């Protein structure tokens, strides 16, 4: 019996998210169709000019803006940033260094520091548990 494999497709919004671009800024043919896994892989491996341009200049979706600014998506909201930004706008914010951005970057640094501490503590606990397990088997 032959297995029939269907082509895996995704909505344009999902593909745009995976490509890290703002869907409304993509070409109409991208927004209106479906994207197969093979097409997505091709876009990632060999991006067309429109995709390179969007990735370089924007407008960028909120997760990309947050990453470029070094803050969380919630931090963007607290700072009043609700719309996609271009690379130029992001650079202007970095240069202007508004108070909310500095505060959110500090918050994000603390979050990362705490996550690293928890990860280290969990690794130490796992090592202790493994040591105890070895001792009991001996």
């Amino acid at each position: 019996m032959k297995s029939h494999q269907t082509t895996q497709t995704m909505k344009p919004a999902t593909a745009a998210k995976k490509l890290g671009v703002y869907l409304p800024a993509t070409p109409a043919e991208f927004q209106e169709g479906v994207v197969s896994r093979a097409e997505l892989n091709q876009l990632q491996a060999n991006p067309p000019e429109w995709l390179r341009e969007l990735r370089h200049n924007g407008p960028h979706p909120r997760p990309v803006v947050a990453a470029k600014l070094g803050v969380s998506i919630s931090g963007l909201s607290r700072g009043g940033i609700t719309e996609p930004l271009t690379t130029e706008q992001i650079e202007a914010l970095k240069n202007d260094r508004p108070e909310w951005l500095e505060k959110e970057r500090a918050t994000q640094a603390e979050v990362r520091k705490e996550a690293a501490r928890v990860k280290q503590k969990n690794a130490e606990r796992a090592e202790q548990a493994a040591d105890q397990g070895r001792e009991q088997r001996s």
Side-chain angles (χ1 to χ4, degrees), residues 45-59:
N46 192 12
E49 182 59 33
W50 65 264
L51 182 54
R52 286 194 301 271
E53 181 70 21
L54 273 178
R55 284 179 169 169
H56 188 263
N57 296 319

Side-chain angles (χ1 to χ4, degrees), residues 88-99:
E88 188 176 308
Q89 291 169 314
I90 292 168
E91 290 304 316
L93 274 174
K94 285 181 177 178
N95 291 334
D96 293 345
R97 302 177 71 104
E99 186 179 326

Side-chain angles (χ1 to χ4, degrees), residues 58-105:
H60 302 287
R62 291 168 44 96
V64 174
V65 173
K68 287 179 178 275
L69 290 174
V71 300
S72 67
I73 294 172
S74 298
L76 283 180
S77 295
R78 287 188 293 271
I81 306 296
T82 58
E83 298 296 317
L85 298 180
T86 63
T87 301
E88 188 176 308
Q89 291 169 314
I90 292 168
E91 290 304 316
L93 274 174
K94 285 181 177 178
N95 291 334
D96 293 345
R97 302 177 71 104
E99 186 179 326
W100 71 265
L101 181 58
E102 293 302 312
K103 182 180 177 210
E104 292 300 333
R105 282 181 163 174

Side-chain angles (χ1 to χ4, degrees), residues 106-122:
T107 299
Q108 192 68 7
E110 285 299 315
V111 167
R112 287 189 191 113
K113 186 176 172 182
E114 178 63 10
R117 186 192 68 77
V118 168
K119 184 177 179 180
Q120 176 65 32
K121 187 163 186 84
N122 288 341

